[in-house]
Amino acid sequence: MKRTVIALICFLPLSVWALSKDSLKAVTMAAYEQSWLDSEGTIALQNNTQEVIRQVKFRLTYLDMNNRQLDYETFSVNVEVEPGMTKKVNIAAYERERHYHYYKTPNRLDQPRFKVNYELKDYNWYKRETKDEDASISDNGMVHKKKALSSFEEPSLYESPIRIFFMLAVLAFVFSFFYLVGKMARNRGRNVPAWVILSFFVTPFWAIILLLLIGRSNDYYRNDPF
């Protein structure tokens, strides 16, 4: 019995190490391409798991031809890769302004070359993020979450009619001023369409002020409260 317990204690760290090691190899880089004129590099990601890969986060370390580090960058991409399959993904090109190119990509000119080291950081993290909520995945690998509405976010049957009524009331209030401009222009012997159009540019308030200032036309004499 003691030997069994000791064996289990020794086996657990080894199994955890093996799982972490396998997870690092879940998605590997099969190939990389970038010529000196490319605005994007192309990386081929290989799925070594038994599940569909939909999200991948990885780091590329850029090296010179003497394996000295030049730079690094982390990428997060949405891509659908079936188990055992390889998929190409476009990413930002490295040093495109200085015409760098990947050393395995054919290039007849003497442009600076670089190598890359690939390191997997994470994959399929949407499963962890949607653990406690409903989620659906479309054909292009995007995750659509269904967020539960809180008590104050629940839609009301009366919300839309009230909103429409309020908008109509505001419109009626605004157009009443244009109607007033037209009525005042008519009672003063002025060109009604011209004054209504003018009120759209100077606002009905100023149109009313102008009509009050200029009064009636010379050939129009009719008693009017305005």
Side-chain angles (χ1 to χ4, degrees), residues 56-72:
V56 183
K57 183 178 182 180
F58 57 91
R59 173 181 291 177
L60 292 183
T61 303
Y62 301 97
L63 310 169
D64 63 14
M65 299 311 297
N66 294 319
N67 292 323
R68 292 177 298 194
Q69 181 176 341
L70 299 172
D71 202 352
Y72 71 91

Side-chain angles (χ1 to χ4, degrees), residues 93-161:
Y94 173 69
E95 290 285 6
R96 57 168 298 195
E97 295 83 2
R98 299 172 62 186
H99 304 302
Y100 270 74
H101 75 98
Y102 186 55
Y103 78 108
K104 289 185 178 181
T105 302
N107 181 35
R108 297 181 181 179
L109 301 177
D110 188 20
Q111 301 293 346
R113 299 180 294 169
F114 66 92
K115 300 179 180 180
V116 293
N117 277 346
Y118 168 90
E119 181 184 359
L120 178 64
K121 290 296 183 180
D122 200 359
Y123 66 94
N124 283 1
W125 56 84
Y126 72 89
K127 292 185 176 181
R128 298 189 299 274
E129 293 177 352
T130 59
K131 183 178 180 180
D132 298 326
E133 57 186 342
D134 295 331
S136 61
I137 304 172
S138 61
D139 294 336
N140 61 359
M142 299 302 293
V143 180
H144 302 278
K145 298 179 181 179
K146 298 178 181 178
K147 183 180 179 181
L149 293 174
S150 60
S151 57
F152 60 89
E153 292 177 326
E154 292 180 358
S156 173
L157 295 175
Y158 304 99
E159 181 179 358
S160 296

